């Protein structure tokens, strides 16, 4: 019999109400800084806090709809997928998020956008 272990480690990103809707905050982690983003609809996402273009802090970007715009050069990232929105290219890692008892929990096994597409597309080459 094979036992599958859940290796996901959940880290506490703080209370939900600490992040404005829309807004974001930086979460330091062993995987590097993570941008925890809350949209105007109340959805919460976690992505790498490093723009694939020039490394800008996405946690300081403007949040609109289900997207965040890098504060340095305006590259737009789709929050559910982690992919740059055309005509830009590139991708950031996304992380699972759950809210429990009013606290945001971020899973530490990254799910990269390039892994989601199989790694054979332009996003994997740009990342």
């Amino acid at each position: 019999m094979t036992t599958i272990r859940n290796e996901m480690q959940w880290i506490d990103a703080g209370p939900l109400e600490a992040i404005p809707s829309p807004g974001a905050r930086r979460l330091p982690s062993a995987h590097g800084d993570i941008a925890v983003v809350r949209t105007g609809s109340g959805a919460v996402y976690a992505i790498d806090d490093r723009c694939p273009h020039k490394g800008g802090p996405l946690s300081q970007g403007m949040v609109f709809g289900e997207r965040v715009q890098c504060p340095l050069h305006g590259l737009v990232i789709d929050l559910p997928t982690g992919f740059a929105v055309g005509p830009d290219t590139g991708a950031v890692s996304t992380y699972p998020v759950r809210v429990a008892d009013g606290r945001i929990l971020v899973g530490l096994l990254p799910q990269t956008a390039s892994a989601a597409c199989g790694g054979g597309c332009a996003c994997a080459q740009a990342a």
Side-chain angles (χ1 to χ4, degrees), residues 23-39:
R25 71 185 301 188
R26 181 179 65 87
L27 174 66
S29 81
H31 292 256
D33 289 343
I34 296 171
V36 181
V37 181
R38 187 173 178 198
T39 68

Side-chain angles (χ1 to χ4, degrees), residues 4-125:
I4 299 174
R5 297 175 46 195
N6 182 356
E7 301 292 334
M8 185 71 62
Q9 295 181 354
W10 296 93
I11 57 173
D12 189 340
L16 179 64
E17 62 268 8
I19 300 177
S21 178
R25 71 185 301 188
R26 181 179 65 87
L27 174 66
S29 81
H31 292 256
D33 289 343
I34 296 171
V36 181
V37 181
R38 187 173 178 198
T39 68
S41 68
V44 181
Y45 297 95
I47 61 174
D48 283 339
D49 191 20
R50 182 173 168 80
C51 178
H53 175 230
K54 295 278 185 178
L58 296 172
S59 62
Q60 295 178 25
M62 182 174 68
V63 179
F64 58 99
E66 301 292 308
R67 297 175 174 174
V68 63
Q69 184 175 33
C70 178
L72 295 185
H73 299 99
L75 185 135
V76 176
I77 296 289
D78 180 68
L79 292 166
T81 65
F83 287 106
V85 175
D88 295 315
T89 60
V92 296
S93 293
T94 62
Y95 299 85
V97 173
R98 66 182 185 190
V99 177
D101 297 324
R103 300 200 66 87
I104 300 169
L105 303 173
V106 177
L108 277 187
L109 288 180
Q111 299 173 338
T112 63
S114 59
C117 71
C121 71
C123 71
Q125 297 162 5

